[in-house]
Amino acid sequence: DSGVTQTPKHLITATGQRVTLRCSPRSGDLSVYWYQQSLDQGLQFLIHYYNGEERAKGNILERFSAQQFPDLHSELNLSSLELGDSALYFCASSPRGEDTGELFFGEGSRLTVL
Amino acid sequence: GNSVTQMEGPVTLSEEAFLTINCTYTATGYPSLFWYVQYPGEGLQLLLKATKADDKGSNKGFEATYRKETTSFHLEKGSVQVSDSAVYFCALRASSASKIIFGSGTRLSIRP
């Protein structure tokens, strides 16, 4: 158990819909990262938050947005869903002092868009 | 830009065989390098890391040496076990960046 909690574990929805994925980082960790894992594109970095502020953005679509709240949990919002958005979405957190490079991953939220 | 290239899988070996999974990187400056492992149904977890040239990371019998001259960080294990079956990801964090970039992953299967 990494200490990172993601909900829901599985989600099935239809094209055009909107979903929210939630992540609770390990206690004390200020950084939250979101990654998308799909079969054909490996693990893609989406976005990084540190103590509520956006620090880095990767190949995140405009239909996707994220935020980190004062209690440090984070949400990833995916809207106008397309079939190609079906993937495993991972959240990871890292210890205070973000230069360690070690990420602790949750078990992921598997999104299926039909 | 920064990137990681690792050998494509799947890799299938017999128990007690020697393992090498190749990883090369492109980055400016002096990145930190990592190997992560993903067991079935789980999230990724850090296996080992190296933060400067010639450093050797090691854990659970796995080793990788940071080779700046060849921009490589190959993962090795002398005698694999069935329990090592998983997907292995090479990754880097550039010295000036906060994000960690992952390779595409290599699926390893070990036959008893």
Side-chain angles (χ1 to χ4, degrees), chain A residues 33 35 37 42-43 45 48 55-56 90 98-103 105-107, chain B residues 32 34 36 38 41-46 49 89 93 98-104:
Chain A
Y33 298 77
Y35 286 86
Q37 185 179 36
L43 201 64
F45 169 73
H48 169 216
R55 281 296 178 91
F90 283 109
E98 55 189 289
D99 59 353
T100 65
E102 179 171 2
L103 300 184
F105 281 79
E107 294 184 356
Chain B
S32 295
F34 310 88
Y36 278 78
Q38 183 181 26
E42 300 182 11
L44 283 73
Q45 55 186 276
L46 180 67
K49 68 178 182 182
F89 292 88
R93 189 180 74 87
S98 66
K99 67 182 182 182
I100 295 180
I101 297 169
F102 288 83
S104 57

PDB file of all heavy atoms in Angstrom, chain A residues 33 35 37 42-43 45 48 55-56 90 98-103 105-107, chain B residues 32 34 36 38 41-46 49 89 93 98-104:
ATOM      1  N   TYR A  33       0.895  14.380  -8.876  1.00  0.00           N
ATOM      2  CA  TYR A  33       1.094  14.232 -10.325  1.00  0.00           C
ATOM      3  C   TYR A  33      -0.051  13.388 -10.883  1.00  0.00           C
ATOM      4  O   TYR A  33      -0.501  12.449 -10.233  1.00  0.00           O
ATOM      5  CB  TYR A  33       2.399  13.499 -10.631  1.00  0.00           C
ATOM      6  CG  TYR A  33       3.659  14.177 -10.173  1.00  0.00           C
ATOM      7  CD1 TYR A  33       4.043  14.155  -8.835  1.00  0.00           C
ATOM      8  CD2 TYR A  33       4.496  14.811 -11.085  1.00  0.00           C
ATOM      9  CE1 TYR A  33       5.221  14.756  -8.415  1.00  0.00           C
ATOM     10  CE2 TYR A  33       5.677  15.414 -10.678  1.00  0.00           C
ATOM     11  CZ  TYR A  33       6.028  15.379  -9.343  1.00  0.00           C
ATOM     12  OH  TYR A  33       7.198  15.979  -8.943  1.00  0.00           O
ATOM     13  N   TYR A  35      -0.995  11.031 -14.311  1.00  0.00           N
ATOM     14  CA  TYR A  35      -0.501  10.364 -15.516  1.00  0.00           C
ATOM     15  C   TYR A  35      -1.641   9.580 -16.157  1.00  0.00           C
ATOM     16  O   TYR A  35      -2.527   9.074 -15.471  1.00  0.00           O
ATOM     17  CB  TYR A  35       0.632   9.384 -15.181  1.00  0.00           C
ATOM     18  CG  TYR A  35       1.948  10.034 -14.848  1.00  0.00           C
ATOM     19  CD1 TYR A  35       2.228  10.455 -13.553  1.00  0.00           C
ATOM     20  CD2 TYR A  35       2.916  10.211 -15.826  1.00  0.00           C
ATOM     21  CE1 TYR A  35       3.445  11.048 -13.246  1.00  0.00           C
ATOM     22  CE2 TYR A  35       4.136  10.799 -15.528  1.00  0.00           C
ATOM     23  CZ  TYR A  35       4.386  11.217 -14.242  1.00  0.00           C
ATOM     24  OH  TYR A  35       5.595  11.805 -13.949  1.00  0.00           O
ATOM     25  N   GLN A  37      -2.245   6.256 -18.575  1.00  0.00           N
ATOM     26  CA  GLN A  37      -1.618   5.061 -19.133  1.00  0.00           C
ATOM     27  C   GLN A  37      -2.573   4.392 -20.107  1.00  0.00           C
ATOM     28  O   GLN A  37      -3.615   3.886 -19.710  1.00  0.00           O
ATOM     29  CB  GLN A  37      -1.211   4.077 -18.033  1.00  0.00           C
ATOM     30  CG  GLN A  37      -0.445   2.877 -18.570  1.00  0.00           C
ATOM     31  CD  GLN A  37      -0.022   1.910 -17.480  1.00  0.00           C
ATOM     32  OE1 GLN A  37      -0.732   1.686 -16.507  1.00  0.00           O
ATOM     33  NE2 GLN A  37       1.170   1.337 -17.623  1.00  0.00           N
ATOM     34  N   GLY A  42       1.726   4.254 -23.660  1.00  0.00           N
ATOM     35  CA  GLY A  42       2.506   4.165 -22.437  1.00  0.00           C
ATOM     36  C   GLY A  42       1.988   5.101 -21.362  1.00  0.00           C
ATOM     37  O   GLY A  42       0.801   5.406 -21.285  1.00  0.00           O
ATOM     38  N   LEU A  43       2.918   5.582 -20.540  1.00  0.00           N
ATOM     39  CA  LEU A  43       2.570   6.429 -19.401  1.00  0.00           C
ATOM     40  C   LEU A  43       2.855   7.880 -19.769  1.00  0.00           C
ATOM     41  O   LEU A  43       4.008   8.280 -19.913  1.00  0.00           O
ATOM     42  CB  LEU A  43       3.403   6.004 -18.189  1.00  0.00           C
ATOM     43  CG  LEU A  43       2.899   6.385 -16.818  1.00  0.00           C
ATOM     44  CD1 LEU A  43       1.574   5.689 -16.534  1.00  0.00           C
ATOM     45  CD2 LEU A  43       3.919   6.003 -15.759  1.00  0.00           C
ATOM     46  N   PHE A  45       2.611  11.940 -18.971  1.00  0.00           N
ATOM     47  CA  PHE A  45       2.479  12.937 -17.913  1.00  0.00           C
ATOM     48  C   PHE A  45       1.397  13.942 -18.289  1.00  0.00           C
ATOM     49  O   PHE A  45       1.376  14.466 -19.412  1.00  0.00           O
ATOM     50  CB  PHE A  45       3.823  13.637 -17.727  1.00  0.00           C
ATOM     51  CG  PHE A  45       3.765  14.864 -16.864  1.00  0.00           C
ATOM     52  CD1 PHE A  45       3.608  14.752 -15.488  1.00  0.00           C
ATOM     53  CD2 PHE A  45       3.852  16.126 -17.425  1.00  0.00           C
ATOM     54  CE1 PHE A  45       3.548  15.881 -14.690  1.00  0.00           C
ATOM     55  CE2 PHE A  45       3.803  17.260 -16.636  1.00  0.00           C
ATOM     56  CZ  PHE A  45       3.651  17.140 -15.259  1.00  0.00           C
ATOM     57  N   HIS A  48       1.230  18.472 -12.911  1.00  0.00           N
ATOM     58  CA  HIS A  48       1.829  18.398 -11.577  1.00  0.00           C
ATOM     59  C   HIS A  48       1.393  19.601 -10.761  1.00  0.00           C
ATOM     60  O   HIS A  48       1.485  20.740 -11.224  1.00  0.00           O
ATOM     61  CB  HIS A  48       3.355  18.352 -11.701  1.00  0.00           C
ATOM     62  CG  HIS A  48       4.091  18.537 -10.413  1.00  0.00           C
ATOM     63  ND1 HIS A  48       5.287  19.220 -10.334  1.00  0.00           N
ATOM     64  CD2 HIS A  48       3.808  18.123  -9.150  1.00  0.00           C
ATOM     65  CE1 HIS A  48       5.705  19.226  -9.077  1.00  0.00           C
ATOM     66  NE2 HIS A  48       4.829  18.567  -8.344  1.00  0.00           N
ATOM     67  N   ARG A  55       2.526  23.306 -11.267  1.00  0.00           N
ATOM     68  CA  ARG A  55       3.961  23.435 -11.456  1.00  0.00           C
ATOM     69  C   ARG A  55       4.419  23.063 -12.854  1.00  0.00           C
ATOM     70  O   ARG A  55       5.393  23.595 -13.354  1.00  0.00           O
ATOM     71  CB  ARG A  55       4.719  22.568 -10.447  1.00  0.00           C
ATOM     72  CG  ARG A  55       4.820  23.158  -9.081  1.00  0.00           C
ATOM     73  CD  ARG A  55       5.615  24.445  -9.086  1.00  0.00           C
ATOM     74  NE  ARG A  55       5.714  25.091  -7.807  1.00  0.00           N
ATOM     75  CZ  ARG A  55       6.687  24.867  -6.938  1.00  0.00           C
ATOM     76  NH1 ARG A  55       7.643  24.002  -7.220  1.00  0.00           N
ATOM     77  NH2 ARG A  55       6.716  25.501  -5.790  1.00  0.00           N
ATOM     78  N   ALA A  56       3.761  22.101 -13.447  1.00  0.00           N
ATOM     79  CA  ALA A  56       4.152  21.675 -14.787  1.00  0.00           C
ATOM     80  C   ALA A  56       2.953  21.059 -15.466  1.00  0.00           C
ATOM     81  O   ALA A  56       2.090  20.460 -14.830  1.00  0.00           O
ATOM     82  CB  ALA A  56       5.300  20.667 -14.728  1.00  0.00           C
ATOM     83  N   PHE A  90      -3.460   7.470 -13.413  1.00  0.00           N
ATOM     84  CA  PHE A  90      -2.746   7.329 -12.155  1.00  0.00           C
ATOM     85  C   PHE A  90      -2.498   8.690 -11.517  1.00  0.00           C
ATOM     86  O   PHE A  90      -2.181   9.668 -12.197  1.00  0.00           O
ATOM     87  CB  PHE A  90      -1.383   6.670 -12.368  1.00  0.00           C
ATOM     88  CG  PHE A  90      -1.439   5.185 -12.566  1.00  0.00           C
ATOM     89  CD1 PHE A  90      -1.190   4.630 -13.807  1.00  0.00           C
ATOM     90  CD2 PHE A  90      -1.727   4.340 -11.504  1.00  0.00           C
ATOM     91  CE1 PHE A  90      -1.232   3.267 -14.000  1.00  0.00           C
ATOM     92  CE2 PHE A  90      -1.775   2.969 -11.682  1.00  0.00           C
ATOM     93  CZ  PHE A  90      -1.532   2.435 -12.930  1.00  0.00           C
ATOM     94  N   GLU A  98      10.680  18.491  -3.455  1.00  0.00           N
ATOM     95  CA  GLU A  98      10.301  17.762  -4.661  1.00  0.00           C
ATOM     96  C   GLU A  98      11.472  17.270  -5.479  1.00  0.00           C
ATOM     97  O   GLU A  98      11.277  16.652  -6.506  1.00  0.00           O
ATOM     98  CB  GLU A  98       9.417  18.649  -5.530  1.00  0.00           C
ATOM     99  CG  GLU A  98      10.067  19.995  -5.854  1.00  0.00           C
ATOM    100  CD  GLU A  98       9.084  20.934  -6.520  1.00  0.00           C
ATOM    101  OE1 GLU A  98       8.744  20.676  -7.671  1.00  0.00           O
ATOM    102  OE2 GLU A  98       8.679  21.911  -5.879  1.00  0.00           O
ATOM    103  N   ASP A  99      12.702  17.462  -5.046  1.00  0.00           N
ATOM    104  CA  ASP A  99      13.805  17.033  -5.874  1.00  0.00           C
ATOM    105  C   ASP A  99      14.230  15.592  -5.613  1.00  0.00           C
ATOM    106  O   ASP A  99      15.223  15.136  -6.147  1.00  0.00           O
ATOM    107  CB  ASP A  99      15.005  17.967  -5.697  1.00  0.00           C
ATOM    108  CG  ASP A  99      15.458  18.014  -4.250  1.00  0.00           C
ATOM    109  OD1 ASP A  99      14.765  17.437  -3.381  1.00  0.00           O
ATOM    110  OD2 ASP A  99      16.492  18.639  -3.974  1.00  0.00           O
ATOM    111  N   THR A 100      13.474  14.845  -4.805  1.00  0.00           N
ATOM    112  CA  THR A 100      13.855  13.458  -4.577  1.00  0.00           C
ATOM    113  C   THR A 100      13.587  12.616  -5.812  1.00  0.00           C
ATOM    114  O   THR A 100      14.273  11.632  -6.055  1.00  0.00           O
ATOM    115  CB  THR A 100      13.063  12.850  -3.413  1.00  0.00           C
ATOM    116  OG1 THR A 100      11.677  12.803  -3.766  1.00  0.00           O
ATOM    117  CG2 THR A 100      13.222  13.687  -2.155  1.00  0.00           C
ATOM    118  N   GLY A 101      12.583  12.966  -6.562  1.00  0.00           N
ATOM    119  CA  GLY A 101      12.256  12.209  -7.757  1.00  0.00           C
ATOM    120  C   GLY A 101      11.466  10.952  -7.500  1.00  0.00           C
ATOM    121  O   GLY A 101      11.074  10.269  -8.439  1.00  0.00           O
ATOM    122  N   GLU A 102      11.242  10.584  -6.262  1.00  0.00           N
ATOM    123  CA  GLU A 102      10.511   9.351  -5.993  1.00  0.00           C
ATOM    124  C   GLU A 102       9.030   9.648  -5.932  1.00  0.00           C
ATOM    125  O   GLU A 102       8.585  10.503  -5.173  1.00  0.00           O
ATOM    126  CB  GLU A 102      10.949   8.718  -4.682  1.00  0.00           C
ATOM    127  CG  GLU A 102      10.192   7.428  -4.361  1.00  0.00           C
ATOM    128  CD  GLU A 102      10.768   6.685  -3.186  1.00  0.00           C
ATOM    129  OE1 GLU A 102      11.727   7.191  -2.589  1.00  0.00           O
ATOM    130  OE2 GLU A 102      10.257   5.596  -2.872  1.00  0.00           O
ATOM    131  N   LEU A 103       8.266   8.941  -6.740  1.00  0.00           N
ATOM    132  CA  LEU A 103       6.830   9.081  -6.770  1.00  0.00           C
ATOM    133  C   LEU A 103       6.182   7.865  -6.148  1.00  0.00           C
ATOM    134  O   LEU A 103       6.639   6.732  -6.333  1.00  0.00           O
ATOM    135  CB  LEU A 103       6.321   9.220  -8.212  1.00  0.00           C
ATOM    136  CG  LEU A 103       6.840  10.400  -9.026  1.00  0.00           C
ATOM    137  CD1 LEU A 103       6.160  10.435 -10.386  1.00  0.00           C
ATOM    138  CD2 LEU A 103       6.612  11.700  -8.289  1.00  0.00           C
ATOM    139  N   PHE A 105       2.691   5.931  -6.249  1.00  0.00           N
ATOM    140  CA  PHE A 105       1.525   5.847  -7.119  1.00  0.00           C
ATOM    141  C   PHE A 105       0.337   5.204  -6.430  1.00  0.00           C
ATOM    142  O   PHE A 105       0.489   4.251  -5.644  1.00  0.00           O
ATOM    143  CB  PHE A 105       1.842   5.024  -8.362  1.00  0.00           C
ATOM    144  CG  PHE A 105       2.616   5.758  -9.413  1.00  0.00           C
ATOM    145  CD1 PHE A 105       3.981   5.933  -9.293  1.00  0.00           C
ATOM    146  CD2 PHE A 105       1.974   6.286 -10.526  1.00  0.00           C
ATOM    147  CE1 PHE A 105       4.703   6.624 -10.255  1.00  0.00           C
ATOM    148  CE2 PHE A 105       2.679   6.965 -11.500  1.00  0.00           C
ATOM    149  CZ  PHE A 105       4.050   7.136 -11.369  1.00  0.00           C
ATOM    150  N   GLY A 106      -0.848   5.710  -6.761  1.00  0.00           N
ATOM    151  CA  GLY A 106      -2.068   5.017  -6.405  1.00  0.00           C
ATOM    152  C   GLY A 106      -2.288   3.849  -7.337  1.00  0.00           C
ATOM    153  O   GLY A 106      -1.502   3.614  -8.260  1.00  0.00           O
ATOM    154  N   GLU A 107      -3.386   3.127  -7.103  1.00  0.00           N
ATOM    155  CA  GLU A 107      -3.668   1.951  -7.916  1.00  0.00           C
ATOM    156  C   GLU A 107      -4.346   2.296  -9.231  1.00  0.00           C
ATOM    157  O   GLU A 107      -4.553   1.423 -10.063  1.00  0.00           O
ATOM    158  CB  GLU A 107      -4.508   0.955  -7.121  1.00  0.00           C
ATOM    159  CG  GLU A 107      -3.739   0.380  -5.940  1.00  0.00           C
ATOM    160  CD  GLU A 107      -4.534  -0.676  -5.200  1.00  0.00           C
ATOM    161  OE1 GLU A 107      -5.708  -0.911  -5.551  1.00  0.00           O
ATOM    162  OE2 GLU A 107      -3.985  -1.274  -4.260  1.00  0.00           O
TER     163      GLU A 107
ATOM    164  N   SER B  32      18.244  12.936 -13.114  1.00  0.00           N
ATOM    165  CA  SER B  32      18.174  11.768 -12.251  1.00  0.00           C
ATOM    166  C   SER B  32      17.460  10.668 -13.021  1.00  0.00           C
ATOM    167  O   SER B  32      16.538  10.937 -13.798  1.00  0.00           O
ATOM    168  CB  SER B  32      17.395  12.092 -10.974  1.00  0.00           C
ATOM    169  OG  SER B  32      18.085  13.061 -10.206  1.00  0.00           O
ATOM    170  N   PHE B  34      15.665   6.636 -13.073  1.00  0.00           N
ATOM    171  CA  PHE B  34      14.896   5.735 -12.222  1.00  0.00           C
ATOM    172  C   PHE B  34      14.447   4.500 -12.997  1.00  0.00           C
ATOM    173  O   PHE B  34      14.273   4.541 -14.223  1.00  0.00           O
ATOM    174  CB  PHE B  34      13.616   6.435 -11.704  1.00  0.00           C
ATOM    175  CG  PHE B  34      13.840   7.779 -11.110  1.00  0.00           C
ATOM    176  CD1 PHE B  34      13.833   8.923 -11.897  1.00  0.00           C
ATOM    177  CD2 PHE B  34      14.056   7.919  -9.750  1.00  0.00           C
ATOM    178  CE1 PHE B  34      14.038  10.174 -11.352  1.00  0.00           C
ATOM    179  CE2 PHE B  34      14.254   9.166  -9.193  1.00  0.00           C
ATOM    180  CZ  PHE B  34      14.249  10.296  -9.998  1.00  0.00           C
ATOM    181  N   TYR B  36      11.121   2.022 -12.413  1.00  0.00           N
ATOM    182  CA  TYR B  36       9.909   1.724 -11.675  1.00  0.00           C
ATOM    183  C   TYR B  36       9.383   0.363 -12.142  1.00  0.00           C
ATOM    184  O   TYR B  36       9.587  -0.034 -13.289  1.00  0.00           O
ATOM    185  CB  TYR B  36       8.832   2.787 -11.922  1.00  0.00           C
ATOM    186  CG  TYR B  36       8.973   4.030 -11.091  1.00  0.00           C
ATOM    187  CD1 TYR B  36       9.907   5.011 -11.431  1.00  0.00           C
ATOM    188  CD2 TYR B  36       8.186   4.229  -9.961  1.00  0.00           C
ATOM    189  CE1 TYR B  36      10.039   6.156 -10.654  1.00  0.00           C
ATOM    190  CE2 TYR B  36       8.306   5.360  -9.188  1.00  0.00           C
ATOM    191  CZ  TYR B  36       9.235   6.324  -9.540  1.00  0.00           C
ATOM    192  OH  TYR B  36       9.358   7.457  -8.766  1.00  0.00           O
ATOM    193  N   GLN B  38       5.809  -2.179 -12.211  1.00  0.00           N
ATOM    194  CA  GLN B  38       4.352  -2.256 -12.041  1.00  0.00           C
ATOM    195  C   GLN B  38       3.939  -3.721 -12.057  1.00  0.00           C
ATOM    196  O   GLN B  38       3.986  -4.373 -13.101  1.00  0.00           O
ATOM    197  CB  GLN B  38       3.654  -1.485 -13.157  1.00  0.00           C
ATOM    198  CG  GLN B  38       2.142  -1.439 -13.021  1.00  0.00           C
ATOM    199  CD  GLN B  38       1.465  -0.692 -14.157  1.00  0.00           C
ATOM    200  OE1 GLN B  38       1.997  -0.602 -15.267  1.00  0.00           O
ATOM    201  NE2 GLN B  38       0.299  -0.135 -13.895  1.00  0.00           N
ATOM    202  N   GLY B  41      -2.177  -5.323 -11.750  1.00  0.00           N
ATOM    203  CA  GLY B  41      -3.253  -4.742 -10.953  1.00  0.00           C
ATOM    204  C   GLY B  41      -2.814  -3.690  -9.946  1.00  0.00           C
ATOM    205  O   GLY B  41      -3.619  -3.265  -9.108  1.00  0.00           O
ATOM    206  N   GLU B  42      -1.575  -3.265 -10.006  1.00  0.00           N
ATOM    207  CA  GLU B  42      -1.074  -2.298  -9.031  1.00  0.00           C
ATOM    208  C   GLU B  42      -0.538  -1.050  -9.723  1.00  0.00           C
ATOM    209  O   GLU B  42      -0.344  -1.009 -10.931  1.00  0.00           O
ATOM    210  CB  GLU B  42       0.038  -2.916  -8.184  1.00  0.00           C
ATOM    211  CG  GLU B  42      -0.394  -4.138  -7.391  1.00  0.00           C
ATOM    212  CD  GLU B  42       0.729  -4.690  -6.522  1.00  0.00           C
ATOM    213  OE1 GLU B  42       1.765  -4.007  -6.387  1.00  0.00           O
ATOM    214  OE2 GLU B  42       0.558  -5.790  -5.999  1.00  0.00           O
ATOM    215  N   GLY B  43      -0.292  -0.022  -8.927  1.00  0.00           N
ATOM    216  CA  GLY B  43       0.373   1.164  -9.434  1.00  0.00           C
ATOM    217  C   GLY B  43       1.874   0.935  -9.511  1.00  0.00           C
ATOM    218  O   GLY B  43       2.395  -0.082  -9.055  1.00  0.00           O
ATOM    219  N   LEU B  44       2.563   1.903 -10.105  1.00  0.00           N
ATOM    220  CA  LEU B  44       4.011   1.789 -10.216  1.00  0.00           C
ATOM    221  C   LEU B  44       4.656   2.003  -8.852  1.00  0.00           C
ATOM    222  O   LEU B  44       4.135   2.743  -8.017  1.00  0.00           O
ATOM    223  CB  LEU B  44       4.558   2.845 -11.180  1.00  0.00           C
ATOM    224  CG  LEU B  44       4.376   2.595 -12.673  1.00  0.00           C
ATOM    225  CD1 LEU B  44       2.935   2.785 -13.099  1.00  0.00           C
ATOM    226  CD2 LEU B  44       5.293   3.517 -13.468  1.00  0.00           C
ATOM    227  N   GLN B  45       5.798   1.386  -8.664  1.00  0.00           N
ATOM    228  CA  GLN B  45       6.575   1.628  -7.451  1.00  0.00           C
ATOM    229  C   GLN B  45       8.055   1.716  -7.821  1.00  0.00           C
ATOM    230  O   GLN B  45       8.518   1.039  -8.739  1.00  0.00           O
ATOM    231  CB  GLN B  45       6.329   0.545  -6.398  1.00  0.00           C
ATOM    232  CG  GLN B  45       6.567  -0.871  -6.852  1.00  0.00           C
ATOM    233  CD  GLN B  45       6.155  -1.885  -5.788  1.00  0.00           C
ATOM    234  OE1 GLN B  45       6.920  -2.186  -4.893  1.00  0.00           O
ATOM    235  NE2 GLN B  45       4.947  -2.381  -5.899  1.00  0.00           N
ATOM    236  N   LEU B  46       8.758   2.564  -7.095  1.00  0.00           N
ATOM    237  CA  LEU B  46      10.164   2.782  -7.379  1.00  0.00           C
ATOM    238  C   LEU B  46      10.963   1.524  -7.091  1.00  0.00           C
ATOM    239  O   LEU B  46      10.843   0.924  -6.023  1.00  0.00           O
ATOM    240  CB  LEU B  46      10.694   3.942  -6.536  1.00  0.00           C
ATOM    241  CG  LEU B  46      12.169   4.286  -6.745  1.00  0.00           C
ATOM    242  CD1 LEU B  46      12.400   4.836  -8.140  1.00  0.00           C
ATOM    243  CD2 LEU B  46      12.609   5.307  -5.697  1.00  0.00           C
ATOM    244  N   LYS B  49      17.174   3.939  -8.172  1.00  0.00           N
ATOM    245  CA  LYS B  49      17.434   5.227  -8.790  1.00  0.00           C
ATOM    246  C   LYS B  49      18.922   5.546  -8.722  1.00  0.00           C
ATOM    247  O   LYS B  49      19.679   4.941  -7.947  1.00  0.00           O
ATOM    248  CB  LYS B  49      16.647   6.336  -8.110  1.00  0.00           C
ATOM    249  CG  LYS B  49      17.084   6.635  -6.691  1.00  0.00           C
ATOM    250  CD  LYS B  49      16.261   7.786  -6.116  1.00  0.00           C
ATOM    251  CE  LYS B  49      16.714   8.123  -4.708  1.00  0.00           C
ATOM    252  NZ  LYS B  49      15.894   9.222  -4.110  1.00  0.00           N
ATOM    253  N   PHE B  89       9.527   0.178 -16.041  1.00  0.00           N
ATOM    254  CA  PHE B  89       9.578   1.492 -16.677  1.00  0.00           C
ATOM    255  C   PHE B  89      10.873   2.198 -16.304  1.00  0.00           C
ATOM    256  O   PHE B  89      11.189   2.342 -15.123  1.00  0.00           O
ATOM    257  CB  PHE B  89       8.417   2.373 -16.214  1.00  0.00           C
ATOM    258  CG  PHE B  89       7.066   1.926 -16.669  1.00  0.00           C
ATOM    259  CD1 PHE B  89       6.329   1.014 -15.923  1.00  0.00           C
ATOM    260  CD2 PHE B  89       6.512   2.420 -17.839  1.00  0.00           C
ATOM    261  CE1 PHE B  89       5.071   0.603 -16.335  1.00  0.00           C
ATOM    262  CE2 PHE B  89       5.250   2.016 -18.261  1.00  0.00           C
ATOM    263  CZ  PHE B  89       4.539   1.102 -17.504  1.00  0.00           C
ATOM    264  N   ARG B  93      14.164  12.453 -14.527  1.00  0.00           N
ATOM    265  CA  ARG B  93      13.737  13.787 -14.121  1.00  0.00           C
ATOM    266  C   ARG B  93      14.892  14.728 -14.429  1.00  0.00           C
ATOM    267  O   ARG B  93      15.978  14.592 -13.862  1.00  0.00           O
ATOM    268  CB  ARG B  93      13.396  13.856 -12.647  1.00  0.00           C
ATOM    269  CG  ARG B  93      12.746  15.185 -12.252  1.00  0.00           C
ATOM    270  CD  ARG B  93      12.421  15.215 -10.769  1.00  0.00           C
ATOM    271  NE  ARG B  93      13.635  15.383  -9.975  1.00  0.00           N
ATOM    272  CZ  ARG B  93      14.178  16.545  -9.648  1.00  0.00           C
ATOM    273  NH1 ARG B  93      13.621  17.660 -10.053  1.00  0.00           N
ATOM    274  NH2 ARG B  93      15.267  16.592  -8.925  1.00  0.00           N
ATOM    275  N   SER B  98      10.281  19.607 -12.819  1.00  0.00           N
ATOM    276  CA  SER B  98       9.631  18.925 -11.711  1.00  0.00           C
ATOM    277  C   SER B  98       8.981  17.621 -12.151  1.00  0.00           C
ATOM    278  O   SER B  98       8.736  16.750 -11.331  1.00  0.00           O
ATOM    279  CB  SER B  98       8.571  19.835 -11.089  1.00  0.00           C
ATOM    280  OG  SER B  98       7.523  20.068 -12.003  1.00  0.00           O
ATOM    281  N   LYS B  99       8.702  17.487 -13.446  1.00  0.00           N
ATOM    282  CA  LYS B  99       7.987  16.297 -13.882  1.00  0.00           C
ATOM    283  C   LYS B  99       8.948  15.147 -14.145  1.00  0.00           C
ATOM    284  O   LYS B  99      10.131  15.340 -14.410  1.00  0.00           O
ATOM    285  CB  LYS B  99       7.179  16.584 -15.137  1.00  0.00           C
ATOM    286  CG  LYS B  99       8.014  16.889 -16.370  1.00  0.00           C
ATOM    287  CD  LYS B  99       7.116  17.214 -17.552  1.00  0.00           C
ATOM    288  CE  LYS B  99       7.927  17.484 -18.800  1.00  0.00           C
ATOM    289  NZ  LYS B  99       7.058  17.849 -19.948  1.00  0.00           N
ATOM    290  N   ILE B 100       8.419  13.935 -14.053  1.00  0.00           N
ATOM    291  CA  ILE B 100       9.189  12.731 -14.343  1.00  0.00           C
ATOM    292  C   ILE B 100       8.640  12.130 -15.622  1.00  0.00           C
ATOM    293  O   ILE B 100       7.422  11.941 -15.756  1.00  0.00           O
ATOM    294  CB  ILE B 100       9.121  11.740 -13.175  1.00  0.00           C
ATOM    295  CG1 ILE B 100       9.801  12.365 -11.957  1.00  0.00           C
ATOM    296  CG2 ILE B 100       9.785  10.412 -13.545  1.00  0.00           C
ATOM    297  CD1 ILE B 100       9.813  11.505 -10.727  1.00  0.00           C
ATOM    298  N   ILE B 101       9.541  11.849 -16.559  1.00  0.00           N
ATOM    299  CA  ILE B 101       9.163  11.311 -17.866  1.00  0.00           C
ATOM    300  C   ILE B 101       9.461   9.828 -17.878  1.00  0.00           C
ATOM    301  O   ILE B 101      10.559   9.397 -17.508  1.00  0.00           O
ATOM    302  CB  ILE B 101       9.944  12.019 -18.977  1.00  0.00           C
ATOM    303  CG1 ILE B 101       9.596  13.498 -19.001  1.00  0.00           C
ATOM    304  CG2 ILE B 101       9.645  11.393 -20.337  1.00  0.00           C
ATOM    305  CD1 ILE B 101      10.495  14.317 -19.886  1.00  0.00           C
ATOM    306  N   PHE B 102       8.476   9.054 -18.318  1.00  0.00           N
ATOM    307  CA  PHE B 102       8.610   7.604 -18.333  1.00  0.00           C
ATOM    308  C   PHE B 102       8.792   7.068 -19.753  1.00  0.00           C
ATOM    309  O   PHE B 102       8.266   7.640 -20.704  1.00  0.00           O
ATOM    310  CB  PHE B 102       7.362   6.946 -17.722  1.00  0.00           C
ATOM    311  CG  PHE B 102       7.260   7.103 -16.242  1.00  0.00           C
ATOM    312  CD1 PHE B 102       6.731   8.260 -15.682  1.00  0.00           C
ATOM    313  CD2 PHE B 102       7.689   6.102 -15.396  1.00  0.00           C
ATOM    314  CE1 PHE B 102       6.637   8.415 -14.311  1.00  0.00           C
ATOM    315  CE2 PHE B 102       7.599   6.241 -14.015  1.00  0.00           C
ATOM    316  CZ  PHE B 102       7.080   7.401 -13.476  1.00  0.00           C
ATOM    317  N   GLY B 103       9.530   5.969 -19.845  1.00  0.00           N
ATOM    318  CA  GLY B 103       9.585   5.226 -21.089  1.00  0.00           C
ATOM    319  C   GLY B 103       8.284   4.468 -21.288  1.00  0.00           C
ATOM    320  O   GLY B 103       7.371   4.540 -20.462  1.00  0.00           O
ATOM    321  N   SER B 104       8.205   3.727 -22.361  1.00  0.00           N
ATOM    322  CA  SER B 104       6.964   3.054 -22.730  1.00  0.00           C
ATOM    323  C   SER B 104       6.717   1.777 -21.947  1.00  0.00           C
ATOM    324  O   SER B 104       5.636   1.206 -22.034  1.00  0.00           O
ATOM    325  CB  SER B 104       6.968   2.747 -24.223  1.00  0.00           C
ATOM    326  OG  SER B 104       8.104   1.973 -24.552  1.00  0.00           O
TER     327      SER B 104
END
